[in-house]
Amino acid sequence: MAAPVSFEVAMAFRLQRYFALAGGAALLVIATTIVFLYERSQRQQIVTSIERQNILLATMAANHLGTQIPAGDPRLDAFAGVASHMPGSPFHSLVRDQLMRNLKGLPVLKVMIFRGNDTIFSTDPNQIGAKKADAEIVESMRRQVPVSHLSHRDQFDTGGEQLVDRDIVETYVPTGLAGATPGQLETPVYFELYTDVTPLMVEFRTDRTRLMIMLLLAFGILYATLLLIVRRAEFTMREQQKSLEKRADELLALTTELTEARDALQESNNQKDRFFSVIAHDLKSPFNALLGFSQLLSEQGGMLAREKVTEYGRMVHQAAEAAYKLLEDLLDWSRLNMDRIEFNPEAFNLCDLMQQNEIRFGPMAAFKEIDLILIPPSVRPVRVLADIQMVDAILRNLISNAVKFTHPGGQIILSCKKMGEMVEISIADTGIGIPPDRAAHLFDLGKGTTQGTQGESGTGLGLQICRELADRQGGQLTFDSTPGEGTTFRFTLPMADQLKKTA
């Protein structure tokens, strides 16, 4: 189960996509804004520069005209609207000659002079006498300040030539004439000059294009660099996220293992508590018998009949044997839980080991008048690959239990047979059997406790040891039982020629 990815991390993984869109748009807006401000600044600079030039030209023209026409000269009346100012008049010729000298070599396309709204002079003779009603003129007249603006003309008539596709700066300059009396110039006089700035605008547009290209290149490099940084950052974040997910999985797995280990430890502790409770209880019986009968023998041995001494001695022996068996199971169980029993497999003849246990438990079975029968296999020898000590412990426990839970006159049959790659060993008795409610918990410590046919106690510890020993050798311990008829335990071992080893 992977750890959930936070919303912030998921959004960060789309950082490159967002930056590619937002960053590109932002850089384009910045570049466009810079070009716009540059264009505005350059246009204003061109207009300001041409305006200064036109003011200087208009002022010089007015001063020269004023100094060349003495006071009282009828030509001054042209400014007062008295004399004729049509082309060919003395006034027109004087002004034209003066302007031509001042404008020589300059890109001024046309000059007009106004008194009020009347055009009293123009380098385009067709416009002389025309009325002028323009917002810029009105504003210039009202404030007595020059007014200029830049415009593009598809066509422009200079009076002698028709120009196309031109950029023009138009300037209105209010002024007066030196030497003119106040009465003669009660109405303001102003100049209107049209200056061709097309070369400047062509150069400006070229510079603007270059600026745009340079900005795009610079911002493109910046954009690419930042995009690489963002991409690297996103890659790093992805790797960190994978590392975090892996770490989270490891922590989750570790947490699960710790939880399972805690539960197993708790169960182990509970099992040990039950185990020691059962052991303490079951040890009381043989030790009470040992103490009681040994005390009788020590105190009254000389007065007891020979038969009684023999009976008490047999009771002491049975109690000691039960205590020894219980302690032996306890030692085996503790070694198994501490993993102190080593598995040392070797090939050996199973029939020999079964015969040794028949001889070992023969007297015990005979004492209870039980027939212990070993049925040899049809094909001998039967060689298995197993730990002989572990197999012997399994046989001892199962045969001992069979004797314990079989009534006098009963029967116990030991046998083995081959089953494919395995050998199955069975111990079948005609004893009391196992009730279904106990069969479900037969291998649970303390839950399978029963009494033998002669009061022998059983804790289930031996069966638990047998199952563990069978599992360690690659086998399996099973049983089937019918209450009142008997029980058959079976366990399997690998045959020696299969060379199977289970740690």
Side-chain angles (χ1 to χ4, degrees):
M1 176 181 177
V5 182
S6 68
F7 176 75
E8 290 78 6
V9 174
M11 288 295 292
F13 288 162
R14 295 193 288 270
L15 182 61
Q16 183 177 346
R17 185 190 312 165
Y18 292 156
F19 176 80
L21 297 175
L27 292 178
L28 184 61
V29 169
I30 292 173
T32 304
T33 302
I34 291 175
V35 171
F36 171 77
L37 293 176
Y38 170 77
E39 179 176 357
R40 182 176 178 181
S41 172
Q42 290 300 308
R43 290 172 66 93
Q44 184 61 41
Q45 185 176 347
I46 291 173
V47 171
T48 301
S49 175
I50 297 302
E51 182 181 75
R52 290 173 183 170
Q53 170 190 296
N54 290 341
I55 292 173
L56 179 60
L57 290 173
T59 302
M60 289 174 60
N63 289 339
H64 286 166
L65 289 173
T67 56
Q68 293 182 18
I69 305 176
D73 192 309
R75 288 177 294 181
L76 274 175
D77 292 337
F79 288 100
V82 176
S84 173
H85 46 262
M86 296 305 291
S89 66
F91 168 75
H92 185 274
S93 299
L94 177 64
V95 174
R96 186 176 182 83
D97 293 342
Q98 179 63 41
L99 287 175
M100 290 302 102
R101 285 193 297 271
N102 292 338
L103 299 178
K104 186 176 181 180
L106 296 176
V108 179
L109 301 177
K110 183 167 62 174
V111 179
M112 300 175 69
I113 302 177
F114 300 92
R115 182 177 180 275
N117 290 335
D118 296 324
T119 305
I120 61 175
F121 174 81
S122 176
T123 53
D124 181 4
N126 296 325
Q127 292 182 327
I128 297 176
K131 295 292 185 180
K132 184 74 170 181
D134 197 298
E136 285 86 352
I137 297 176
V138 173
E139 179 66 18
S140 179
M141 291 171 59
R142 185 181 67 81
R143 299 175 58 191
Q144 287 293 295
V145 294
V147 176
S148 298
H149 65 84
L150 173 65
S151 63
H152 182 78
R153 305 289 182 91
D154 294 331
Q155 293 184 344
F156 186 80
D157 189 1
T158 64
E161 185 181 2
Q162 191 77 21
L163 303 176
V164 296
D165 196 22
R166 312 302 290 178
D167 294 298
I168 306 296
V169 173
E170 187 176 355
T171 306
Y172 300 96
V173 184
T175 184
L177 293 177
T181 62
Q184 291 175 314
L185 295 176
E186 290 178 357
T187 302
V189 175
Y190 51 90
F191 285 67
E192 182 178 12
L193 295 91
Y194 295 86
T195 305
D196 185 7
V197 293
T198 302
L200 295 176
M201 292 301 295
V202 170
E203 183 179 356
F204 154 70
R205 291 187 183 99
T206 302
D207 291 342
R208 182 184 62 185
T209 302
R210 290 174 181 169
L211 176 62
M212 176 63 80
I213 294 174
M214 291 176 62
L215 286 174
L216 289 177
L217 287 175
F219 284 159
I221 294 173
L222 176 62
Y223 176 75
T225 302
L226 292 177
L227 191 61
L228 288 175
I229 294 174
V230 171
R231 187 174 181 179
R232 180 60 183 174
E234 182 179 5
F235 174 77
T236 302
M237 293 177 68
R238 285 182 183 273
E239 292 301 314
Q240 290 178 346
Q241 193 260 350
K242 290 179 182 178
S243 177
L244 289 175
E245 286 183 350
K246 181 179 179 182
R247 182 59 178 164
D249 289 340
E250 292 175 353
L251 290 175
L252 183 60
L254 180 59
T255 301
T256 303
E257 291 178 4
L258 290 175
T259 302
E260 293 175 353
R262 181 200 63 190
D263 295 341
L265 181 60
Q266 184 64 41
E267 177 60 27
S268 176
N269 289 334
N270 294 338
Q271 189 179 38
K272 287 179 181 179
D273 290 342
R274 293 194 301 269
F275 169 75
F276 286 115
S277 176
V278 170
I279 291 298
H281 178 271
D282 288 348
L283 278 175
K284 287 181 180 179
S285 297
F287 276 105
N288 284 336
L290 284 172
L291 292 172
F293 286 115
S294 61
Q295 185 178 4
L296 283 174
L297 288 173
S298 63
E299 293 178 354
Q300 303 177 16
M303 297 181 292
L304 294 175
R306 185 178 180 86
E307 293 78 8
K308 280 291 183 181
V309 172
T310 301
E311 181 182 355
Y312 289 166
R314 180 172 58 82
M315 294 295 185
V316 169
H317 176 75
Q318 288 181 348
E321 188 175 55
Y324 177 78
K325 177 65 170 61
L326 192 59
L327 290 175
E328 190 176 50
D329 287 346
L330 174 60
L331 290 173
D332 287 342
W333 180 84
S334 64
R335 286 198 298 268
L336 281 171
N337 278 272
M338 294 175 67
D339 204 21
R340 297 287 294 275
I341 296 181
E342 295 183 0
F343 176 53
N344 298 309
E346 59 179 300
F348 64 92
N349 186 0
L350 180 63
C351 297
D352 292 342
L353 184 63
M354 294 180 67
Q355 189 173 19
Q356 292 174 13
N357 277 277
E358 178 198 15
I359 296 171
R360 177 187 299 167
F361 287 97
M364 180 186 296
F367 182 79
K368 288 187 69 173
E369 300 178 356
I370 298 172
D371 291 332
L372 179 60
I373 303 172
L374 173 61
I375 301 178
S378 58
V379 179
R380 301 182 68 179
V382 178
R383 295 180 62 79
V384 296
L385 183 67
D387 187 315
I388 192 169
Q389 301 298 327
M390 291 185 178
V391 177
D392 187 50
I394 296 173
L395 288 171
R396 283 191 285 105
N397 274 283
L398 294 179
I399 296 173
S400 175
N401 284 346
V403 173
K404 184 186 303 181
F405 297 108
T406 301
H407 291 289
Q411 190 179 66
I412 300 173
I413 299 177
L414 309 180
S415 64
C416 66
K417 64 180 179 178
K418 295 181 180 180
M419 296 181 61
E421 300 176 356
M422 307 293 286
V423 175
E424 182 184 80
I425 302 96
S426 65
I427 297 91
D429 64 57
T430 57
I432 60 177
I434 304 171
D437 59 335
R438 290 185 178 178
H441 303 284
L442 189 64
F443 296 103
D444 295 339
L445 184 63
K447 294 184 178 180
T449 302
T450 56
Q451 294 292 324
T453 57
Q454 293 184 351
E456 304 97 330
S457 62
T459 62
L461 180 59
L463 290 177
Q464 190 181 47
I465 292 172
C466 289
R467 184 176 64 174
E468 179 68 20
L469 293 177
D471 290 343
R472 290 198 180 189
Q473 299 183 97
Q476 187 178 16
L477 176 66
T478 60
F479 74 95
D480 57 72
S481 180
T482 302
E485 295 184 10
T487 303
T488 301
F489 278 90
R490 303 178 180 88
F491 69 98
T492 56
L493 296 173
M495 294 183 65
D497 56 358
Q498 300 302 320
L499 298 178
K500 292 186 175 180
K501 298 185 179 182
T502 304

